[in-house]
Amino acid sequence: MAYRINPLREGLGFGREVIGLTPGDIEREAVRRELRDYWLNDGLMVFRGSEVTPEFQIALSRVFGELEVHPVRELVTEGMPELITLVSDQHKEGLFEVDGKPSIAFLPWHSDLVFTDRINHGGVLTAQRISSWGGQTGFIDQVQAYALLPEELKARIEHLEIVYQLTVNPGYSRYGTRSRVRTIRVGDFEKSVGPRLDSDFPPVVHPMVFTQPDTGRKVLNISPFGALHILGHDDEEGHALLQRLVDHLVDCPAYYHGWQPSEMLLWDNWRMVHCVTGAAPDEVRIMQRTTIMGDYGLGRKLQMEAAA
């Protein structure tokens, strides 16, 4: 039976569902080209009805570009450097209270690797172990978000830039979430990476708006989690503007994916922000993801700019 491609959800405005794709399918260049076209046009693809293995996940990822090793070495999977393993375990990751409810896995709206000057183009995510509740992955399309902005706001932000830095605790980001987050237990990852933030992950700058290279559409390029301030506007007016834009972004149409182990999910990291809802704290949630190489060429390190 041939694979099928359908709208992910009627009326959503982005995303596709791919049913029944096999390793043999992606050996054909016509299939690879079709998948790449849908990815660039729709931003998000959910693969269902496939036999999901790490080998297929890696092979599928390579349809969309070369892979790279993730810069946070603690996440790299032993024996498979193309994969990172994301373990949500209160004894390792830490434990948080989100809006009064103990949770693990919670991650605010963000773009992957926005804390570096080179943002990867995408990734393929799979679930190795799911929790009995929560742990949904949410997505918002920033092409759609830009189109929904008032014209006066589009003109105001055209040439602005945002300063970012890696944030490892979801409760410590000014713009990351509307939820009330309290740290109950600090995790191993935060203990390991936290002391190295300024040396290994100095502040970087990315444009607030850019043009999608393959389609000419404009993107509202904001990653709330990790955003520090608008460059040159670290003041009350600047923070008010950034908060207005973040509020607009997270009010845009969103897709929340409830996971099954038989699924793979691909997104265009240059235009989609994503989040993870809190999950059962007494369980372990394990995800694996590839990192598809690429650089839109618009980010830079702030310290290099200051030195110049």
Side-chain angles (χ1 to χ4, degrees):
M1 181 178 175
Y3 70 90
R4 309 188 309 277
I5 300 179
N6 306 316
L8 183 56
R9 192 178 74 205
E10 293 297 337
L12 182 63
F14 63 89
R16 291 282 168 172
E17 173 188 65
V18 184
I19 302 173
L21 191 74
T22 69
D25 289 328
I26 63 173
E27 293 178 0
R28 295 155 45 203
E29 180 54 34
V31 174
R32 297 164 69 90
R33 185 167 55 251
E34 180 181 45
L35 294 175
R36 286 193 292 265
D37 287 346
Y38 273 115
W39 179 50
L40 292 172
N41 187 67
D42 292 275
L44 176 66
M45 302 180 79
V46 177
F47 297 85
R48 296 186 169 107
S50 300
E51 184 177 349
V52 177
T53 65
E55 291 77 16
F56 189 22
Q57 181 179 358
I58 291 170
L60 177 63
S61 301
R62 287 192 168 122
V63 170
F64 305 95
E66 294 299 318
L67 304 186
E68 60 181 300
V69 177
H70 196 277
V72 181
R73 58 182 179 267
E74 286 84 353
L75 301 178
V76 175
T77 305
E78 185 176 354
M80 280 193 162
E82 301 93 340
L83 289 174
I84 61 172
T85 299
L86 305 165
V87 180
S88 300
D89 178 348
Q90 65 167 300
H91 301 293
K92 295 180 180 180
E93 179 199 61
L95 182 63
F96 302 93
E97 184 182 85
V98 182
D99 294 327
K101 189 174 186 178
S103 303
I104 59 170
F106 177 75
L107 195 57
W109 291 107
H110 68 286
S111 300
D112 287 333
L113 294 183
V114 72
F115 53 85
T116 72
D117 58 332
R118 296 182 69 256
I119 296 181
N120 68 293
H121 201 171
V124 174
L125 185 66
T126 59
Q128 300 300 308
R129 186 187 299 179
I130 58 178
S131 54
S132 60
W133 61 264
Q136 293 181 314
T137 307
F139 292 89
I140 293 174
D141 180 15
Q142 295 178 104
V143 169
Q144 189 178 74
Y146 180 85
L148 293 172
L149 279 173
E151 292 300 319
E152 57 87 12
L153 204 50
K154 290 179 182 178
R156 185 178 178 187
I157 67 175
E158 180 69 23
H159 301 294
L160 296 180
E161 298 173 300
I162 301 176
V163 179
Y164 295 95
Q165 189 168 26
L166 175 63
T167 305
V168 293
N169 189 308
Y172 295 163
S173 178
R174 181 169 187 165
Y175 299 103
T177 178
R178 292 171 173 169
S179 295
R180 293 175 290 104
V181 182
R182 181 176 70 86
T183 303
I184 299 174
R185 183 184 303 119
V186 174
D188 293 345
F189 178 71
E190 183 174 351
K191 292 176 183 177
S192 173
V193 176
R196 311 194 328 256
L197 285 183
D198 289 332
S199 59
D200 290 5
F201 302 100
V204 298
V205 178
H206 290 280
M208 188 179 288
V209 177
F210 77 93
T211 301
Q212 193 182 25
D214 298 282
T215 69
R217 298 176 298 190
K218 289 194 173 182
V219 180
L220 180 62
N221 189 37
I222 298 177
S223 174
F225 188 40
L228 301 183
H229 55 83
I230 298 173
L231 184 66
H233 298 277
D234 187 8
D235 51 28
E236 184 176 350
E237 182 179 356
H239 286 291
L241 175 59
L242 186 50
Q243 186 65 64
R244 179 183 175 187
L245 291 162
V246 169
D247 288 344
H248 166 82
L249 176 65
V250 300
D251 284 337
C252 286
Y255 168 77
Y256 284 89
H257 186 74
W259 282 95
Q260 296 297 325
S262 58
E263 298 170 332
M264 297 181 286
L265 195 153
L266 163 76
W267 67 97
D268 183 341
N269 190 53
W270 293 353
R271 65 177 273 196
M272 307 295 299
V273 286
H274 61 285
C275 70
V276 183
T277 63
D282 55 347
E283 300 172 7
V284 176
R285 176 182 182 270
I286 302 177
M287 312 293 289
Q288 288 191 319
R289 201 204 77 209
T290 57
T291 303
I292 299 170
M293 190 180 296
D295 179 22
Y296 71 163
L298 301 173
R300 65 187 186 278
K301 293 180 180 177
L302 189 61
Q303 66 175 10
M304 293 176 58
E305 181 176 279

